Amino acid sequence: MLSGAEKTYIEAGAAQGIRADGRGLLDLRPVTLETSLLPTASGSARVRIGGVTDILVGVKAEVVEPHVNAPDEGLMSFAVECSSLASPDFVGRGGADLNAELSQLLTRLYASSATRELRRGLALIPGRKCWVLHVDALVLDSGGNLYGALSLAVRAALRVVTLPRVVIIPGEADDDDEIEVNEEVFERLSRSEDAPVAVTLSAVGGRGIYIADSTSEEEACAKAAITMGVNLAGRACGAVSGGTGGVDMDTLKSMLKDAVRVGGDILKTTDSFLQDDIARMESGEEVEPVGFFS
Amino acid sequence: MRYGPLCRVTAAPKPKTSEAHKRSDGRTGWEELRPVFLKASFLSSAAGSAYFEAGGTKVFCAVHGPRAWASSSIDAVVHCEVRWAHFSGRREETRTAAGGERSRPSESATDEERELGASLARTLGTVTRVEMYPKSRIEVSALVLEDDGSSFAAVVTAAALAMADAGIEMADLTAAMTAAVVDGNVVVDPNAEEERRASGTVMVAYMGNVGKVTDLVQTGEMEIGQLAHAIQTGCQAATQVRGLIKACLEKQAGKVLKKRGRGA
């Protein structure tokens, strides 16, 4: 809950192009990204934005039967849990609706044809065996830009996922093939760079003014918001709107353009970090932990 | 309940007709809508209700309230429940979260139904003058009877009609439309088959008079220019549907007035 004065302060600031923490309208807060911090998961990541929003993601994999409609693709399932540590609103069933919305956003982001190659990489025997990646995200603390932080953490976790190598042993009949999981050789996912990242732009104050990476105070006085998934190709892969204000057409169009630009920057920056991180891990160098496991 | 076409629409102005623009259900233009049927006030127990049909997509919607509700906000709260009937023919892959197994279907809402319910609540919260109904709650429930594509857009349109039918004050009528990219073309009001083939779809809810987009749901992969174009065409088509809602309400009001005139 914000007082009227606080709201006016944020809105008048945005109209002048300045925000309470000194950022410009489309500037992002500093992001802390840490990968492979859960030894029991196939891949994991933790993202903190501005030292407030805190998301932990773990990916587990198992072999299942593929979906009848997509026999040559693997599966991904998403579950988001807003920890009651983050807000008293999440105690009991309070977070259930938000959990559903967050998991549904991830499902939407990863359902598009943009990540088809990533899903194909999870197939083992077409129509019979494939990997399913259970992506579990835990919202430890929330201070705005939940969608952005969540999608970034999931993407980072997927980029560092390693799965045991699977050997297909041909059977006598065509559909008699069996698989053998080699627990000694691990491989990274192919085409995990296709994974999108979500960008939320919130309209505050007057017409045509919107901000990226909003804090929870800014979110509280946002009239409307657009959350859009952006991939490396600069395409939209899943978008939803939020807030109860409505957006006019011109603002909406410029929001879409800016979302792609901001998303592209995020992808470029995190990818260069992740490549260093992966290279370090593969060379066996010690990585200094920075998070709560340090 | 008398059953018959209330108003039918053939997209005007008549789009370019050519063999190349022929669609799988016989429509001849990318921007041509399916025949629409609207009916308000068909449920006696609800404050307002609506039935909306676009081609093979059929949606019921009922509005209950406003009723007293102790909430933390002073303004009215709009609560929505959206369900797809088992037999609606909604594609299985969208009903089950990928990889997730549903033990018994429809015991409780799926994640998607919850998400779209929240989405509908936001749209209706945008158009409704919530400050007129302090400390109260308006309940909206929608059921998709048959799903032949563009079903969530149909839900939003039906809900807008039901809200108006319930006499709830709104800033504008909102109507929704889906646009899909099929084989590189932006087609409006796609049917289920077109939705399946589409590389991306976008649903927009639009307030024609205020000129604001109240809701947007995009799935699949789309280029930004294409997305902007699809939103624009979707909004134009939504404005067309808005006119039909208005016509339906006027007809309904005429009936009520006539009845009252006889009673007096």
Side-chain angles (χ1 to χ4, degrees), chain A residues 36 38-44 57-61 162:
Chain A
S36 308
L38 300 176
T40 49
S42 308
S44 59
V57 170
V59 181
K60 292 284 261 180
T162 49

Side-chain angles (χ1 to χ4, degrees), chain A residues 105 108-109 226-229 236-241, chain B residues 216-219 227:
Chain A
L105 177 88
R108 195 179 289 287
L109 289 183
I226 299 285
T227 302
M228 189 168 91
C237 18
V240 286
S241 65
Chain B
L216 182 141
V217 179
Q218 189 249 324
T219 43
L227 175 58

Side-chain angles (χ1 to χ4, degrees), chain A residues 1 67 69 75-78 93 96-97 99-101 103-105 107-108 112-114 132 134 226 228 231 233-249 252-253 256-257 260, chain B residues 72-73 79 92-93 96-101 110-112 114-116 118-119 121-123 125-126 199 204 206-207 211-224 227-229 231-232 235:
Chain A
M1 277 294 216
H67 203 284
N69 292 330
L75 301 170
M76 285 163 123
S77 82
F78 298 93
R93 289 196 53 78
D97 277 349
N99 288 347
E101 255 183 87
S103 351
Q104 187 59 32
L105 177 88
T107 309
R108 195 179 289 287
S112 79
S113 52
V132 56
H134 295 287
I226 299 285
M228 189 168 91
N231 64 4
R235 294 210 177 101
C237 18
V240 286
S241 65
T244 55
V247 193
D248 61 273
M249 193 61 81
L252 183 59
K253 280 184 182 164
L256 297 179
K257 273 201 203 98
V260 169
Chain B
S72 55
S73 74
H79 183 260
E92 213 25 57
E93 76 244 41
T96 50
E101 286 124 58
T110 62
D111 274 0
E112 195 189 17
R114 277 166 187 268
E115 186 212 21
L116 294 179
S119 192
R122 276 195 297 265
T123 308
T126 307
S199 59
V204 278
Y206 188 60
M207 296 193 280
K212 275 186 173 174
V213 176
T214 54
D215 197 12
L216 182 141
V217 179
Q218 189 249 324
T219 43
E221 190 186 14
M222 275 167 120
E223 270 167 39
I224 290 306
L227 175 58
H229 174 61
I231 291 172
Q232 181 110 44
C235 287

Side-chain angles (χ1 to χ4, degrees), chain B residues 58-83:
Chain B
K58 300 179 174 68
V59 177
F60 281 127
C61 186
V63 173
H64 294 273
R67 60 181 66 164
W69 184 256
S71 78
S72 55
S73 74
I74 296 165
D75 294 341
V77 177
V78 184
H79 183 260
C80 300
E81 258 188 43
V82 182
R83 290 293 168 93

Side-chain angles (χ1 to χ4, degrees), chain B:
Chain B
M1 176 174 142
R2 274 222 312 273
Y3 195 91
L6 184 63
C7 24
R8 284 197 183 269
V9 60
T10 38
K14 194 81 182 147
K16 304 144 257 169
T17 39
S18 71
E19 272 307 299
H21 284 205
K22 191 133 186 165
R23 289 166 67 172
S24 59
D25 52 6
R27 280 180 280 173
T28 49
W30 300 141
E31 286 166 29
E32 188 180 333
L33 307 182
R34 291 175 288 182
V36 163
F37 173 71
L38 280 161
K39 188 168 177 65
S41 297
F42 68 93
L43 291 174
S44 54
S45 62
S49 54
Y51 172 73
F52 178 82
E53 186 180 316
T57 300
K58 300 179 174 68
V59 177
F60 281 127
C61 186
V63 173
H64 294 273
R67 60 181 66 164
W69 184 256
S71 78
S72 55
S73 74
I74 296 165
D75 294 341
V77 177
V78 184
H79 183 260
C80 300
E81 258 188 43
V82 182
R83 290 293 168 93
W84 269 261
H86 276 171
F87 44 82
S88 66
R90 183 134 178 101
R91 307 197 310 275
E92 213 25 57
E93 76 244 41
T94 58
R95 281 195 61 93
T96 50
E101 286 124 58
R102 274 152 57 85
S103 46
R104 281 179 63 195
S106 181
E107 280 280 284
S108 62
T110 62
D111 274 0
E112 195 189 17
E113 284 169 337
R114 277 166 187 268
E115 186 212 21
L116 294 179
S119 192
L120 179 62
R122 276 195 297 265
T123 308
L124 296 179
T126 307
V127 287
T128 308
R129 297 186 60 197
V130 282
E131 70 278 7
M132 302 298 290
Y133 308 95
K135 294 269 174 202
S136 58
R137 171 163 145 137
I138 301 164
E139 273 153 9
V140 180
S141 32
L143 175 71
V144 180
L145 216 57
E146 277 180 46
D147 183 349
D148 187 22
S150 314
S151 50
F152 186 56
V155 166
V156 175
T157 308
L161 177 59
M163 289 285 273
D165 182 46
I168 287 164
E169 287 201 36
M170 292 190 281
D172 193 0
L173 282 171
T174 189
M177 189 47 74
T178 307
V181 178
V182 182
D183 305 328
N185 300 302
V186 173
V187 302
V188 172
D189 197 17
N191 57 30
E193 187 264 341
E194 284 170 325
E195 266 186 354
R196 243 191 315 276
R197 280 197 298 137
S199 59
T201 62
V202 58
M203 195 284 315
V204 278
Y206 188 60
M207 296 193 280
N209 268 12
V210 179
K212 275 186 173 174
V213 176
T214 54
D215 197 12
L216 182 141
V217 179
Q218 189 249 324
T219 43
E221 190 186 14
M222 275 167 120
E223 270 167 39
I224 290 306
Q226 215 168 31
L227 175 58
H229 174 61
I231 291 172
Q232 181 110 44
T233 14
C235 287
Q236 278 159 5
T239 313
Q240 225 173 320
V241 176
R242 184 187 176 280
L244 297 176
I245 300 180
K246 202 169 154 234
C248 176
L249 285 168
E250 276 165 2
K251 191 166 174 177
Q252 183 70 25
K255 259 193 230 162
V256 171
L257 287 177
K258 214 166 142 193
K259 214 185 269 174
R260 274 199 198 152
R262 244 202 327 263

